[in-house]
Amino acid sequence: MTNIPQLTTDLFLGGHWMGSSAGTLTTYNPATAEAITDIAAAGEADVDQAVRAATTVLHGEWAATAPSMRGVLLNKLADLVERDAQILGTLESLDMGALLSVTQGFFVPDLIATLRYYAGWADKINGHTLPNNGYMGQSVLSYTIREPVGVIAAIVPWNSPLMVLGWKLAPALASGNTVIVKPAEDASLSILHLGKLIEEAQFPAGVVQVLPGRGSVAGEALAKHLGVHKVSFTGSVEVGRRILRNSAGNLKRTTLELGGKSPQIIFGDADIEAAVMGTAAGLFLNSGQVCAAGTRVFVHRSVLDTVLDGLRAAASAQVLGSPFEETTTMGPLVNSAQKERVLGYVTKGSAEGATLVTGGGSPEGTGHFVEPTLFTGTNDMAIAREEIFGPVGIVVPFDDDAEAVAQANNSDYGLAATVWTGDVSRAHEVAAKLQAGAVGVNGWAPGGPQMPWGGVKSSGLGRELGYEGILADTEVKTVSVIV
Ligand code: NAD
């Protein structure tokens, strides 16, 4: 077992660390099912206090902080994250079960890159001057200013907490907003340590606050609070809808990054070896607990057997175990409910007539493990329509491009899509027709801080990352001076 870093378990509220009068919640190690520690769980009164602190500093010290200084602070935080990368990775692997090689090797570096990218934006958020028709015969100097939206609630899921938080935190701070972070019940530890680093970086007190707690209590209170101007949420569609309803009181801005059922289309002319490797990553990375997981695999009939053999071999090669073991390639699911949910879909798939190609079981012992699982079937089955959020995929054959696109688009979701082909014209043509927020060609889910991310249809509202992330965290004010 790895050395466990010191755990931070209090609320970070108004620049101070404190317990909650509303009680605690217990966080567990999904690889062993053992309790790790109790964490303060914010109640309504804590949320209210945090909103007041966020509002005071928003109009006070933070408003008076030069934009370039916001960039300096973001870079300082990136330096501290770099220094503590191992601690942050270990904490994230401990409570949500992703491999250390993924948390430390991918999620934490993504956070660092996002912080640095938006540090650069902080003093480059411009308005425009507007040529115009004048006012009652007089000339008008008209221009726009981009201003912060205000107090932003960042509500984060458990499957990659630091990475997803970075997408919310960095653009919000670069644009001059204040942020109240609500981590997920199952995975607060890495974000609480980040709170320590935010304190060490010396952001003014209240600019960033961390309020772990239950979605039904702290999350609800943030979404309803009239002092919160925007909710930036990543999580399930069901909770996304609830947040929209709860945000109606003061017409909050919302960015909703919701689930997916993303297609991967493998054409007959693709580099099949690369396509199999990439498709397997899209199915099994983070035990399938990835919003962009490519769980519907459409394969041209001419290469169906080769692809199935390759994916079966990739599944068999997975080694389930502790996220801290170097030989492990797949960790556990986050909790027992998630494991039961995933196994329920395996049963449903078989009951609907899908053919099990490999997996479908759960190894003996403690921990919430599910084998990498693959079915063949049709796009109308529940396992092809509903987000499973586990290592379960379905392979569906197709005969021509139009059929592949039609099947891929036949989904309630539209987050990401992958096209595997050796034909550049086909790649662009298919990418243009796919209903998705992001399309990867010959690579599953390429991304980075420069590339906007978000979904169409039930996969969400709005975009994070890139310049779109700045637009989403600012309001436009038009100033017109009669001259
Ligand atoms: P979830 O919706 O259950 O919870 C997400 C967060 O919302 C947690 O912090 C939770 O405490 C909070 N929450 C729960 N109820 C709430 C309420 N009533 N009001 C306010 N907040 C509330 O999702 P999850 O199970 O943590 O994460 C898995 C889901 O997230 C999957 O559907 C997945 O596809 C999605 N996801 C999407 C992306 C993306 O970028 N699109 C990224 C990661 C995860």
Side-chain angles (χ1 to χ4, degrees):
M1 186 57 194
T2 190
N3 286 335
I4 305 301
Q6 193 180 357
L7 302 179
T8 303
T9 58
D10 279 346
L11 312 178
F12 184 44
L13 205 161
H16 304 287
W17 293 91
M18 59 182 75
S20 166
S21 54
T24 57
L25 54 83
T26 306
T27 188
Y28 294 86
N29 177 342
T32 62
E34 287 163 1
I36 303 169
T37 189
D38 288 342
I39 289 173
E44 254 182 71
D46 301 311
V47 167
D48 193 51
Q49 200 181 329
V51 174
R52 275 186 276 124
T55 308
T56 304
V57 72
L58 174 75
H59 300 299
E61 196 179 344
W62 195 228
T65 302
S68 58
M69 189 59 199
R70 300 200 299 256
V72 170
L73 287 168
L74 281 166
N75 269 324
K76 201 162 157 194
L77 180 59
D79 291 343
L80 296 173
V81 171
E82 217 156 44
R83 183 195 73 193
D84 281 8
Q86 195 188 354
I87 296 174
L88 289 161
T90 302
L91 290 170
E92 199 148 294
S93 291
L94 183 68
D95 66 2
M96 57 76 63
L99 304 188
L100 186 63
S101 57
V102 172
T103 55
Q104 195 184 328
F106 175 40
F107 294 163
V108 174
D110 188 275
L111 170 63
I112 295 165
T114 306
L115 290 168
R116 293 209 190 285
Y117 171 77
Y118 282 106
W121 266 115
D123 58 0
K124 299 171 192 69
I125 303 170
N126 302 323
H128 303 288
T129 50
L130 308 169
N132 60 78
N133 298 335
Y135 175 77
M136 299 174 74
Q138 287 179 275
S139 300
V140 176
L141 169 64
S142 190
Y143 58 93
T144 57
I145 306 172
R146 283 213 162 258
E147 297 179 335
V149 166
V151 177
I152 297 185
I155 303 181
V156 179
W158 43 260
N159 61 328
S160 48
L162 286 175
M163 183 173 86
V164 169
L165 176 58
W167 302 355
K168 304 181 184 311
L169 193 61
L173 295 178
S175 318
N177 299 278
T178 54
V179 183
I180 303 173
V181 182
K182 211 298 281 169
E185 292 86 332
D186 287 308
S188 303
L189 293 177
S190 59
I191 289 181
L192 283 165
H193 186 80
L194 185 72
K196 287 279 181 197
L197 303 186
I198 286 162
E199 184 183 27
E200 192 179 339
Q202 296 185 323
F203 282 85
V207 167
V208 184
Q209 303 178 81
V210 183
L211 267 60
R214 294 181 177 80
S216 56
V217 180
E220 284 270 321
L222 283 165
K224 284 182 181 163
H225 203 294
L226 299 182
V228 173
H229 305 102
K230 171 173 174 174
V231 178
S232 178
F233 169 76
T234 298
S236 59
V237 178
E238 188 189 335
V239 174
R241 286 202 185 98
R242 192 163 174 83
I243 285 175
L244 259 191
R245 283 195 294 271
N246 283 337
S247 295
N250 62 336
L251 298 177
K252 286 181 185 59
R253 279 62 185 134
T254 50
T255 306
L256 304 177
E257 302 283 359
L258 309 179
K261 196 74 201 171
S262 299
Q264 305 213 50
I265 306 175
I266 304 177
F267 288 97
D269 60 10
D271 173 342
I272 299 299
E273 203 178 320
V276 165
M277 268 181 58
T279 301
L283 286 164
F284 305 135
L285 183 83
N286 210 14
S287 304
Q289 302 166 112
V290 179
C291 52
T295 48
R296 293 185 300 141
V297 185
F298 297 101
V299 183
H300 191 264
R301 215 175 282 279
S302 63
V303 290
L304 181 62
D305 291 342
T306 318
V307 169
L308 276 177
D309 287 347
L311 290 177
R312 196 185 288 111
S316 317
Q318 299 293 325
V319 180
L320 275 61
S322 160
F324 298 106
E325 288 294 335
E326 276 181 22
T327 48
T328 304
T329 63
M330 247 180 72
L333 297 177
V334 75
N335 56 34
S336 59
Q338 189 67 10
K339 174 180 158 184
E340 292 316 316
R341 182 182 139 84
V342 172
L343 290 175
Y345 273 106
V346 173
T347 308
K348 205 183 251 186
S350 298
E352 276 185 312
T355 304
L356 186 65
V357 176
T358 184
S362 166
E364 295 267 311
T366 52
H368 312 304
F369 294 92
V370 173
E371 291 170 355
T373 300
L374 205 62
F375 285 97
T376 53
T378 54
N379 192 45
D380 56 355
M381 293 172 166
I383 55 170
R385 305 211 66 80
E386 295 168 24
E387 187 182 44
I388 300 176
F389 227 54
V392 181
I394 180 164
V395 174
V396 180
F398 68 87
D399 291 302
D400 60 44
D401 296 28
E403 185 195 351
V405 170
Q407 296 215 61
N409 286 343
N410 185 356
S411 172
D412 293 338
Y413 293 104
L415 185 60
T418 313
V419 181
W420 297 95
T421 177
D423 179 338
V424 174
S425 303
R426 170 181 271 158
H428 288 293
E429 204 177 323
V430 172
K433 288 178 180 162
L434 286 170
Q435 296 165 357
V439 179
V441 176
N442 294 332
W444 169 72
Q450 306 81 2
M451 301 175 209
W453 180 253
V456 301
K457 301 195 277 187
S458 289
S459 287
L461 271 185
R463 294 291 178 273
E464 294 185 307
L465 296 176
Y467 181 49
E468 273 74 4
I470 297 288
L471 298 181
D473 283 345
T474 49
E475 298 279 8
V476 176
K477 178 182 281 175
T478 307
V479 180
S480 300
V481 184
I482 317 300
V483 289

